[in-house]
Amino acid sequence: RAESEGAEAERLADVIDHQAGRLRAVAEMLARPARVAAYSPAARTAIESLERLGESGRPVTLLLAPGLDPVPWAAVAHLVSDKRDGALVFVESASGRAIHDVATWRDVTSSPLVAARGGTLVLLDAHALPLDVQRYIAVAAGPDVGLIVALYATVDALVGQGRIDENLADRLGDRAVALPPFAARAEDLRGLLLDRLARIGERLRG
């Protein structure tokens, strides 16, 4: 019986390793646009800051410029954290009524917090969530859930406007990384454009 149980344990460990590898591969794919042409000082500084904060395991705030996609940058922070073998769960805070209902977040089967357990929860436009939902996330996201929040203004400014709950603000602290706009990445533009064209060509013509 011990041999049988040992064989089953090995099989389950292989399944877990395989799943972790798949999740890491997805995160690597998502992070690629942030890393593919990070030659400029602005891009390098942002990546180094994200990697430092990701390794610390503490919540991270991404400060966005208009039109900038936060997904690749969030993936960078996730991949250096101790949650890199878990899921990277994105929540579009303005996406609909269900996500604005605190009951959705409390639900043990459908809550994004449950989906992100062992991984990282990324809140896009977190200030669009109702304050009671923000408060619940701040309290309920335990040490087994990494937390990344993307905002278009500083946490202090949004707290002053009544758009960020103080519990969430305290959880986030002052660990904000300002993501560089394209205007600050002149050295990167050629590489970014060539990469985009190559991916379009691969998709259209193989």
Side-chain angles (χ1 to χ4, degrees):
R1 182 176 176 181
E3 289 177 359
S4 174
E5 295 291 343
E8 178 64 9
E10 288 181 7
R11 186 188 71 80
L12 291 175
D14 288 342
V15 171
I16 291 170
D17 287 344
H18 178 68
Q19 180 69 7
R22 289 179 60 190
L23 292 172
R24 280 198 307 272
V26 171
E28 290 283 1
M29 181 184 68
L30 292 174
R32 189 172 182 276
R35 289 177 166 158
V36 69
Y39 309 116
S40 65
R44 289 306 317 158
T45 297
I47 287 177
E48 288 167 6
S49 298
L50 287 173
E51 289 178 341
R52 185 172 62 253
L53 289 174
E55 288 173 351
S56 75
R58 294 178 294 178
V60 177
T61 302
L62 306 178
L63 287 180
L64 305 178
L68 197 61
D69 182 8
V71 169
W73 304 91
V76 168
H78 167 75
L79 282 167
V80 297
S81 75
D82 59 357
K83 309 291 192 304
R84 57 186 168 271
D85 289 338
L88 184 56
V89 178
F90 291 91
V91 173
E92 177 51 67
S93 302
S95 61
R97 203 179 316 172
I99 213 70
H100 286 199
D101 186 350
V102 73
T104 299
W105 293 86
R106 294 180 187 274
D107 192 297
V108 295
T109 57
S110 62
S111 171
L113 285 171
V114 174
R117 194 168 291 158
T120 302
L121 177 68
V122 183
L123 299 176
L124 306 175
D125 296 333
H127 56 279
L129 290 171
L131 294 181
D132 63 331
V133 172
Q134 296 181 30
R135 191 175 307 117
Y136 181 78
I137 294 169
V139 173
D144 58 342
V145 177
L147 184 60
I148 299 175
V149 172
L151 301 170
Y152 284 98
T154 65
V155 171
D156 288 343
L158 291 169
V159 168
Q161 297 169 15
R163 303 178 71 188
I164 287 287
D165 176 72
E166 291 187 2
N167 294 275
L168 182 58
D170 290 342
R171 182 81 186 270
L172 295 173
D174 58 358
R175 296 175 291 275
V177 177
L179 302 184
F182 290 119
R185 301 181 61 185
E187 299 91 336
D188 303 338
L189 293 181
R190 183 175 184 275
L192 290 169
L193 287 169
L194 287 174
D195 177 70
R196 177 63 61 86
L197 287 170
R199 284 189 283 125
I200 292 172
E202 181 68 23
R203 185 172 70 248
L204 294 180
R205 297 186 175 276

